Amino acid sequence: MLESLFEPLPLHPSPSDYVNRLLRSNDVPLDSEAVVIRSIVSDGEDRIRALDAHVLHLQATLAQLSQRRDETVEHLRVHRAILSPVRRVPMELVCTIFEMASAQNRVKFGTPPWQLGFICRSWRQYALSCPLLWSSVTVPHCPGWYQSETQQLLSKLRTQLSRATNASLDIYWSWSCNNEPDSRLLDLIFPHSNRWRNVTFHVNCSNCRLDWLLPISGKLDQLETLEVENFGATIFPDVFTTARNLRRVVLTPSQSSSRSNRTAPIYLKSIPIPWGQITHYRGEFPGERQLEFLQAAPNLLNCALEISDHSYLISPANTTVILPHLRRLCLNATASRLNVVAPELEELCCVFHMMWMPHLITPFIRRASCTLTRLVLWECRLHTELTDILRDLPTLSYLLLANGTPIEKDGVAFFTSMAISGTDSDVCPHIVSMVYGYENWYPYTEDAFISMAKSRFRTQHSLRSRLFRLRVFRTGHLYRYEPPDLDTKHRIQMLQDEGLDAAFLDEQETTDHLSRKYI
């Protein structure tokens, strides 16, 4: 029966002629002819019904086969997973990957990786066995205002602290009221104060006193970093002077107020700090107060200063501050008026316009009595005066220039003067690493830049110097990343093809460099 369905339709020999005639015309069939036609139609309808039944049978069979195939594929997948190399990755390495992947949210926002517990059972076990993943704790402002959420908040914090076990903690306090925090919250956080490693306060309250911190006095043995972003005239109790391992301090007003031209920043009123043991400090304060901090911190290694009162430009203080161990210093224009002596200074970072540069950098370097190996200049206009400054720094090995106001003829003159020829007149002949940031780049300036790079990379001019590393990045309005144009990118690639480690920074690398601009 099945075979017959695939046979051609039978033909009727005798009537074939009149059937063909009827098929090719609109003639009315005779009664005898109609009988034959009805027989043909009936046979065809029987064959269609048989074929439909067979198709349904085949469809059912195909569905079963498809289901069996899907089951086999899944069976194969789960058994292949047993042999997956991921299963052989040590738990310590998986935890390291977790730490790196979640670092930004943990460090910047204090957000624990709750989502890792929902991926699979083994990932959940790994996450729970890695205390560092849970060691960044954010304490939100005034939880008592939201009674319906307090229990949930306390439960999450309790769980997080439990998973952190004995790991050192990074605590982020976000406070925006004059009221004392919920006692249940303090009872949960304060018993772990002996494990606080880094503490950050974002304080947004007017003339508030944080006396509720007094119970942690004498219990901050592991504290290494203290950061305060202050939105008002906050008064801290004396709880940090006994933190024997405290080394890093960051004290700034809110970014919104300090960057605004209309709103004067309001600074901390009081925060006792053991300045004698501090090695890293960054802060924005009026000049007199910055001097007080520096005089009390002779062991600084790394310092970033921003002086907010421009009156300091007119009548600088006569006080001389000696920082015998200082290695890196970052300054704005006003802070460069400080009488600082740093004989071991290796890196100087300046964040101010070229118009101040010759009047401030050179005198500062002379006062500081230092031999620099690294120089970073932001918002720096290329000019012959910049060449004169660099000529006085023959020991430089690293130079970063961010050109904020490009002028074609000045750019050409500057890069031409920076090309080396193997003579004693070469400017900074020992530079081995250079970074250049630009907003707009004109063709002749670019030509001079490429020629300068080639002269420093090729050794036939001098055996004293060889540029090993060159990085270029482009910024747009408000110092935001802009991709390089294809022609410039091609020319940098040509330097790389010649053997120089030259490249454009990608967006993340550019952002990382720009983030260091603000001190």
mmCIF file of all heavy atoms in Angstrom, residues 306-340:
data_model
loop_
_atom_site.group_PDB
_atom_site.id
_atom_site.type_symbol
_atom_site.label_atom_id
_atom_site.label_comp_id
_atom_site.label_asym_id
_atom_site.label_seq_id
_atom_site.Cartn_x
_atom_site.Cartn_y
_atom_site.Cartn_z
ATOM 1 N N GLU A 306 45.856 70.737 46.914
ATOM 2 C CA GLU A 306 45.103 71.754 46.196
ATOM 3 C C GLU A 306 44.741 72.850 47.188
ATOM 4 O O GLU A 306 44.064 72.592 48.191
ATOM 5 C CB GLU A 306 43.841 71.174 45.552
ATOM 6 C CG GLU A 306 43.072 72.204 44.728
ATOM 7 C CD GLU A 306 42.018 71.572 43.850
ATOM 8 O OE1 GLU A 306 41.921 70.338 43.820
ATOM 9 O OE2 GLU A 306 41.280 72.331 43.198
ATOM 10 N N ILE A 307 45.227 74.044 46.929
ATOM 11 C CA ILE A 307 44.919 75.187 47.794
ATOM 12 C C ILE A 307 43.799 75.974 47.147
ATOM 13 O O ILE A 307 43.871 76.354 45.979
ATOM 14 C CB ILE A 307 46.158 76.060 48.015
ATOM 15 C CG1 ILE A 307 47.199 75.263 48.824
ATOM 16 C CG2 ILE A 307 45.802 77.352 48.726
ATOM 17 C CD1 ILE A 307 48.456 76.044 49.119
ATOM 18 N N SER A 308 42.768 76.222 47.912
ATOM 19 C CA SER A 308 41.537 76.778 47.345
ATOM 20 C C SER A 308 41.500 78.301 47.360
ATOM 21 O O SER A 308 40.790 78.899 46.557
ATOM 22 C CB SER A 308 40.329 76.238 48.109
ATOM 23 O OG SER A 308 40.467 76.515 49.491
ATOM 24 N N ASP A 309 42.241 78.945 48.265
ATOM 25 C CA ASP A 309 42.148 80.403 48.356
ATOM 26 C C ASP A 309 43.185 81.054 47.444
ATOM 27 O O ASP A 309 44.374 80.907 47.627
ATOM 28 C CB ASP A 309 42.323 80.883 49.803
ATOM 29 C CG ASP A 309 43.594 80.345 50.433
ATOM 30 O OD1 ASP A 309 44.058 79.281 49.990
ATOM 31 O OD2 ASP A 309 44.109 80.995 51.350
ATOM 32 N N HIS A 310 42.716 81.790 46.453
ATOM 33 C CA HIS A 310 43.610 82.387 45.475
ATOM 34 C C HIS A 310 44.393 83.573 46.050
ATOM 35 O O HIS A 310 45.341 84.046 45.424
ATOM 36 C CB HIS A 310 42.814 82.832 44.251
ATOM 37 C CG HIS A 310 42.213 81.685 43.508
ATOM 38 N ND1 HIS A 310 42.973 80.832 42.744
ATOM 39 C CD2 HIS A 310 40.933 81.239 43.430
ATOM 40 C CE1 HIS A 310 42.188 79.906 42.205
ATOM 41 N NE2 HIS A 310 40.954 80.130 42.608
ATOM 42 N N SER A 311 44.030 84.041 47.216
ATOM 43 C CA SER A 311 44.814 85.102 47.843
ATOM 44 C C SER A 311 46.230 84.629 48.141
ATOM 45 O O SER A 311 47.158 85.421 48.280
ATOM 46 C CB SER A 311 44.141 85.548 49.152
ATOM 47 O OG SER A 311 44.076 84.464 50.072
ATOM 48 N N TYR A 312 46.405 83.317 48.189
ATOM 49 C CA TYR A 312 47.724 82.757 48.461
ATOM 50 C C TYR A 312 48.687 83.033 47.314
ATOM 51 O O TYR A 312 49.897 82.975 47.473
ATOM 52 C CB TYR A 312 47.587 81.245 48.690
ATOM 53 C CG TYR A 312 48.569 80.698 49.687
ATOM 54 C CD1 TYR A 312 48.424 81.013 51.030
ATOM 55 C CD2 TYR A 312 49.623 79.885 49.299
ATOM 56 C CE1 TYR A 312 49.322 80.518 51.967
ATOM 57 C CE2 TYR A 312 50.515 79.384 50.224
ATOM 58 C CZ TYR A 312 50.361 79.711 51.559
ATOM 59 O OH TYR A 312 51.246 79.232 52.490
ATOM 60 N N LEU A 313 48.129 83.320 46.133
ATOM 61 C CA LEU A 313 48.978 83.669 45.001
ATOM 62 C C LEU A 313 49.650 85.028 45.199
ATOM 63 O O LEU A 313 50.748 85.273 44.731
ATOM 64 C CB LEU A 313 48.146 83.704 43.709
ATOM 65 C CG LEU A 313 47.776 82.356 43.090
ATOM 66 C CD1 LEU A 313 46.766 82.579 41.979
ATOM 67 C CD2 LEU A 313 49.008 81.665 42.549
ATOM 68 N N ILE A 314 48.950 85.907 45.876
ATOM 69 C CA ILE A 314 49.436 87.281 46.007
ATOM 70 C C ILE A 314 50.455 87.407 47.133
ATOM 71 O O ILE A 314 51.506 88.022 46.981
ATOM 72 C CB ILE A 314 48.245 88.235 46.251
ATOM 73 C CG1 ILE A 314 47.244 88.098 45.092
ATOM 74 C CG2 ILE A 314 48.710 89.661 46.397
ATOM 75 C CD1 ILE A 314 45.961 88.863 45.315
ATOM 76 N N SER A 315 50.160 86.803 48.252
ATOM 77 C CA SER A 315 51.067 86.926 49.393
ATOM 78 C C SER A 315 51.364 85.545 49.963
ATOM 79 O O SER A 315 50.749 85.122 50.935
ATOM 80 C CB SER A 315 50.427 87.808 50.474
ATOM 81 O OG SER A 315 49.160 87.280 50.836
ATOM 82 N N PRO A 316 52.279 84.803 49.357
ATOM 83 C CA PRO A 316 52.596 83.459 49.844
ATOM 84 C C PRO A 316 53.211 83.504 51.233
ATOM 85 O O PRO A 316 53.890 84.455 51.597
ATOM 86 C CB PRO A 316 53.611 82.946 48.807
ATOM 87 C CG PRO A 316 54.198 84.177 48.219
ATOM 88 C CD PRO A 316 53.101 85.196 48.232
ATOM 89 N N ALA A 317 52.949 82.451 51.968
ATOM 90 C CA ALA A 317 53.495 82.380 53.320
ATOM 91 C C ALA A 317 55.014 82.220 53.266
ATOM 92 O O ALA A 317 55.561 81.635 52.336
ATOM 93 C CB ALA A 317 52.878 81.198 54.057
ATOM 94 N N ASN A 318 55.678 82.747 54.249
ATOM 95 C CA ASN A 318 57.136 82.660 54.303
ATOM 96 C C ASN A 318 57.616 81.383 54.984
ATOM 97 O O ASN A 318 58.813 81.145 55.069
ATOM 98 C CB ASN A 318 57.698 83.881 55.040
ATOM 99 C CG ASN A 318 57.442 85.169 54.273
ATOM 100 O OD1 ASN A 318 57.516 85.180 53.056
ATOM 101 N ND2 ASN A 318 57.126 86.230 55.001
ATOM 102 N N THR A 319 56.690 80.611 55.484
ATOM 103 C CA THR A 319 57.054 79.394 56.200
ATOM 104 C C THR A 319 57.644 78.366 55.241
ATOM 105 O O THR A 319 57.082 78.090 54.188
ATOM 106 C CB THR A 319 55.823 78.795 56.896
ATOM 107 O OG1 THR A 319 55.233 79.779 57.736
ATOM 108 C CG2 THR A 319 56.207 77.570 57.713
ATOM 109 N N THR A 320 58.768 77.799 55.600
ATOM 110 C CA THR A 320 59.395 76.737 54.810
ATOM 111 C C THR A 320 59.077 75.395 55.434
ATOM 112 O O THR A 320 59.242 75.194 56.632
ATOM 113 C CB THR A 320 60.918 76.927 54.757
ATOM 114 O OG1 THR A 320 61.214 78.173 54.116
ATOM 115 C CG2 THR A 320 61.576 75.794 53.987
ATOM 116 N N VAL A 321 58.602 74.483 54.598
ATOM 117 C CA VAL A 321 58.259 73.136 55.045
ATOM 118 C C VAL A 321 59.273 72.161 54.470
ATOM 119 O O VAL A 321 59.478 72.124 53.249
ATOM 120 C CB VAL A 321 56.838 72.738 54.605
ATOM 121 C CG1 VAL A 321 56.523 71.324 55.067
ATOM 122 C CG2 VAL A 321 55.823 73.725 55.152
ATOM 123 N N ILE A 322 59.910 71.380 55.322
ATOM 124 C CA ILE A 322 60.898 70.395 54.878
ATOM 125 C C ILE A 322 60.250 69.011 54.932
ATOM 126 O O ILE A 322 59.780 68.576 55.987
ATOM 127 C CB ILE A 322 62.157 70.434 55.756
ATOM 128 C CG1 ILE A 322 62.802 71.825 55.687
ATOM 129 C CG2 ILE A 322 63.157 69.362 55.312
ATOM 130 C CD1 ILE A 322 64.006 71.982 56.586
ATOM 131 N N LEU A 323 60.223 68.347 53.775
ATOM 132 C CA LEU A 323 59.672 66.994 53.672
ATOM 133 C C LEU A 323 60.781 66.088 53.159
ATOM 134 O O LEU A 323 60.908 65.838 51.956
ATOM 135 C CB LEU A 323 58.475 66.975 52.725
ATOM 136 C CG LEU A 323 57.297 67.874 53.129
ATOM 137 C CD1 LEU A 323 56.231 67.884 52.043
ATOM 138 C CD2 LEU A 323 56.701 67.415 54.463
ATOM 139 N N PRO A 324 61.596 65.565 54.045
ATOM 140 C CA PRO A 324 62.832 64.869 53.632
ATOM 141 C C PRO A 324 62.604 63.556 52.902
ATOM 142 O O PRO A 324 63.491 63.082 52.191
ATOM 143 C CB PRO A 324 63.566 64.643 54.959
ATOM 144 C CG PRO A 324 62.486 64.645 56.001
ATOM 145 C CD PRO A 324 61.454 65.616 55.512
ATOM 146 N N HIS A 325 61.422 62.939 53.058
ATOM 147 C CA HIS A 325 61.188 61.625 52.471
ATOM 148 C C HIS A 325 60.240 61.673 51.271
ATOM 149 O O HIS A 325 59.953 60.623 50.683
ATOM 150 C CB HIS A 325 60.606 60.676 53.521
ATOM 151 C CG HIS A 325 61.402 60.630 54.793
ATOM 152 N ND1 HIS A 325 62.679 60.110 54.859
ATOM 153 C CD2 HIS A 325 61.111 61.053 56.051
ATOM 154 C CE1 HIS A 325 63.135 60.199 56.088
ATOM 155 N NE2 HIS A 325 62.210 60.779 56.835
ATOM 156 N N LEU A 326 59.749 62.837 50.913
ATOM 157 C CA LEU A 326 58.728 62.951 49.874
ATOM 158 C C LEU A 326 59.272 62.483 48.529
ATOM 159 O O LEU A 326 60.327 62.912 48.079
ATOM 160 C CB LEU A 326 58.245 64.397 49.772
ATOM 161 C CG LEU A 326 56.974 64.616 48.936
ATOM 162 C CD1 LEU A 326 55.780 63.948 49.593
ATOM 163 C CD2 LEU A 326 56.720 66.100 48.748
ATOM 164 N N ARG A 327 58.492 61.594 47.862
ATOM 165 C CA ARG A 327 58.886 61.078 46.555
ATOM 166 C C ARG A 327 57.985 61.611 45.433
ATOM 167 O O ARG A 327 58.464 61.841 44.329
ATOM 168 C CB ARG A 327 58.825 59.540 46.547
ATOM 169 C CG ARG A 327 59.784 58.880 47.498
ATOM 170 C CD ARG A 327 61.235 59.099 47.071
ATOM 171 N NE ARG A 327 62.162 58.325 47.881
ATOM 172 C CZ ARG A 327 62.691 58.720 49.018
ATOM 173 N NH1 ARG A 327 62.376 59.922 49.502
ATOM 174 N NH2 ARG A 327 63.525 57.965 49.680
ATOM 175 N N ARG A 328 56.697 61.774 45.701
ATOM 176 C CA ARG A 328 55.770 62.231 44.653
ATOM 177 C C ARG A 328 54.936 63.378 45.198
ATOM 178 O O ARG A 328 54.417 63.318 46.316
ATOM 179 C CB ARG A 328 54.843 61.091 44.209
ATOM 180 C CG ARG A 328 53.867 61.505 43.111
ATOM 181 C CD ARG A 328 52.954 60.349 42.715
ATOM 182 N NE ARG A 328 52.097 60.732 41.604
ATOM 183 C CZ ARG A 328 50.916 61.343 41.741
ATOM 184 N NH1 ARG A 328 50.463 61.650 42.947
ATOM 185 N NH2 ARG A 328 50.196 61.653 40.686
ATOM 186 N N LEU A 329 54.782 64.433 44.368
ATOM 187 C CA LEU A 329 54.021 65.604 44.772
ATOM 188 C C LEU A 329 53.164 66.069 43.605
ATOM 189 O O LEU A 329 53.643 66.206 42.475
ATOM 190 C CB LEU A 329 54.967 66.725 45.198
ATOM 191 C CG LEU A 329 54.318 68.043 45.652
ATOM 192 C CD1 LEU A 329 53.414 67.817 46.858
ATOM 193 C CD2 LEU A 329 55.391 69.077 45.963
ATOM 194 N N CYS A 330 51.885 66.308 43.888
ATOM 195 C CA CYS A 330 50.950 66.811 42.887
ATOM 196 C C CYS A 330 50.394 68.140 43.378
ATOM 197 O O CYS A 330 49.994 68.259 44.546
ATOM 198 C CB CYS A 330 49.814 65.803 42.671
ATOM 199 S SG CYS A 330 48.796 66.142 41.231
ATOM 200 N N LEU A 331 50.381 69.152 42.496
ATOM 201 C CA LEU A 331 50.044 70.509 42.910
ATOM 202 C C LEU A 331 49.087 71.165 41.929
ATOM 203 O O LEU A 331 49.140 70.902 40.725
ATOM 204 C CB LEU A 331 51.305 71.378 42.958
ATOM 205 C CG LEU A 331 52.460 70.951 43.855
ATOM 206 C CD1 LEU A 331 53.696 71.728 43.472
ATOM 207 C CD2 LEU A 331 52.116 71.169 45.313
ATOM 208 N N ASN A 332 48.243 72.071 42.474
ATOM 209 C CA ASN A 332 47.582 73.015 41.580
ATOM 210 C C ASN A 332 48.401 74.309 41.590
ATOM 211 O O ASN A 332 49.414 74.434 42.283
ATOM 212 C CB ASN A 332 46.126 73.232 41.981
ATOM 213 C CG ASN A 332 45.974 74.047 43.250
ATOM 214 O OD1 ASN A 332 46.897 74.150 44.053
ATOM 215 N ND2 ASN A 332 44.805 74.622 43.454
ATOM 216 N N ALA A 333 47.973 75.297 40.815
ATOM 217 C CA ALA A 333 48.792 76.502 40.641
ATOM 218 C C ALA A 333 49.056 77.202 41.970
ATOM 219 O O ALA A 333 50.178 77.629 42.263
ATOM 220 C CB ALA A 333 48.103 77.461 39.663
ATOM 221 N N THR A 334 48.022 77.316 42.803
ATOM 222 C CA THR A 334 48.191 78.028 44.066
ATOM 223 C C THR A 334 49.115 77.279 45.012
ATOM 224 O O THR A 334 49.942 77.886 45.705
ATOM 225 C CB THR A 334 46.820 78.237 44.731
ATOM 226 O OG1 THR A 334 45.864 78.611 43.758
ATOM 227 C CG2 THR A 334 46.889 79.297 45.798
ATOM 228 N N ALA A 335 49.013 75.957 45.032
ATOM 229 C CA ALA A 335 49.842 75.162 45.944
ATOM 230 C C ALA A 335 51.316 75.223 45.574
ATOM 231 O O ALA A 335 52.182 75.004 46.427
ATOM 232 C CB ALA A 335 49.363 73.715 45.947
ATOM 233 N N SER A 336 51.614 75.544 44.321
ATOM 234 C CA SER A 336 53.013 75.614 43.921
ATOM 235 C C SER A 336 53.732 76.799 44.559
ATOM 236 O O SER A 336 54.958 76.903 44.481
ATOM 237 C CB SER A 336 53.120 75.701 42.393
ATOM 238 O OG SER A 336 52.566 76.919 41.931
ATOM 239 N N ARG A 337 52.986 77.690 45.213
ATOM 240 C CA ARG A 337 53.611 78.814 45.909
ATOM 241 C C ARG A 337 54.136 78.439 47.289
ATOM 242 O O ARG A 337 54.793 79.241 47.946
ATOM 243 C CB ARG A 337 52.580 79.944 46.061
ATOM 244 C CG ARG A 337 52.015 80.457 44.741
ATOM 245 C CD ARG A 337 53.009 81.331 44.016
ATOM 246 N NE ARG A 337 53.316 82.525 44.759
ATOM 247 C CZ ARG A 337 53.646 83.682 44.218
ATOM 248 N NH1 ARG A 337 53.666 83.801 42.906
ATOM 249 N NH2 ARG A 337 53.947 84.719 44.961
ATOM 250 N N LEU A 338 53.837 77.222 47.721
ATOM 251 C CA LEU A 338 54.334 76.777 49.018
ATOM 252 C C LEU A 338 55.852 76.690 49.007
ATOM 253 O O LEU A 338 56.469 76.287 48.019
ATOM 254 C CB LEU A 338 53.751 75.401 49.362
ATOM 255 C CG LEU A 338 52.253 75.333 49.675
ATOM 256 C CD1 LEU A 338 51.811 73.890 49.806
ATOM 257 C CD2 LEU A 338 51.938 76.097 50.953
ATOM 258 N N ASN A 339 56.442 77.058 50.123
ATOM 259 C CA ASN A 339 57.897 76.939 50.277
ATOM 260 C C ASN A 339 58.218 75.533 50.779
ATOM 261 O O ASN A 339 58.376 75.297 51.981
ATOM 262 C CB ASN A 339 58.416 77.995 51.256
ATOM 263 C CG ASN A 339 58.278 79.390 50.693
ATOM 264 O OD1 ASN A 339 58.480 79.612 49.504
ATOM 265 N ND2 ASN A 339 57.921 80.339 51.539
ATOM 266 N N VAL A 340 58.262 74.594 49.858
ATOM 267 C CA VAL A 340 58.509 73.195 50.194
ATOM 268 C C VAL A 340 59.918 72.809 49.785
ATOM 269 O O VAL A 340 60.365 73.107 48.669
ATOM 270 C CB VAL A 340 57.493 72.277 49.486
ATOM 271 C CG1 VAL A 340 57.851 70.807 49.699
ATOM 272 C CG2 VAL A 340 56.089 72.562 49.999
#
